[in-house]
Amino acid sequence: HVQLVESGGGSVQAGGSLRLSCAASVSTFSGNCMAWFRQAPGKEREGVAFIYTGGDSTCYADSEKGRFTLSQDNAKNTLYLQMNSLKPEDTAMYYCAARPPGYGSSTWYLASYYNYWGQGTQVTVS
């Protein structure tokens, strides 16, 4: 059973920080590609960051480089997204997603390439 459960969202002031967590079932986490997406009202879902859990490959959207950092805890099958220097434009529902490897990192930001999704966690920056 594939399951992704996000947590850690909330309301913060601009300049603040949040750490999002994505707890995954073992089959989803180990050796797969995982990513964070976000979707603001009236906008398309956009890729935020990507990691291959079986190696060191990570990708970030240009607007998040230097502010957001991915990390993983293999013992807990959990992916984290540390978000610093948050801006109002970061306000969105944040989703964790997973897919098998083999599609290449050039497609990491395309939501259609992901098989599994969590229910989302809301981030509001004011």
Side-chain angles (χ1 to χ4, degrees):
H1 177 63
V2 175
Q3 188 174 24
L4 298 172
V5 180
E6 303 98 331
S7 61
S11 297
V12 296
Q13 292 187 339
S17 298
L18 283 173
R19 188 179 78 158
L20 305 184
S21 300
C22 173
S25 54
V26 174
S27 60
T28 307
F29 188 84
S30 179
N32 274 329
C33 299
M34 299 186 70
W36 286 96
F37 285 77
R38 67 186 182 190
Q39 188 167 21
K43 295 188 177 181
E44 293 188 356
R45 193 167 294 191
E46 62 176 358
V48 174
F50 163 93
I51 188 168
Y52 170 55
T53 60
D56 295 327
S57 177
T58 57
C59 298
Y60 295 91
D62 288 343
S63 59
E64 277 66 69
K65 287 179 181 177
R67 299 192 301 128
F68 292 5
T69 304
L70 283 168
S71 61
Q72 60 186 80
D73 185 331
N74 293 335
K76 296 182 178 179
N77 296 322
T78 299
L79 178 69
Y80 301 100
L81 181 68
Q82 178 67 43
M83 305 188 297
N84 298 327
S85 302
L86 283 164
K87 306 173 183 178
E89 50 263 45
D90 294 318
T91 295
M93 184 71 79
Y94 282 70
Y95 298 91
C96 180
R99 72 180 193 191
Y103 292 101
S105 59
S106 62
T107 61
W108 76 266
Y109 60 94
L110 298 174
S112 59
Y113 278 77
Y114 290 81
N115 307 76
Y116 309 110
W117 293 86
Q119 81 290 349
T121 185
Q122 178 67 39
V123 172
T124 302
V125 185
S126 60

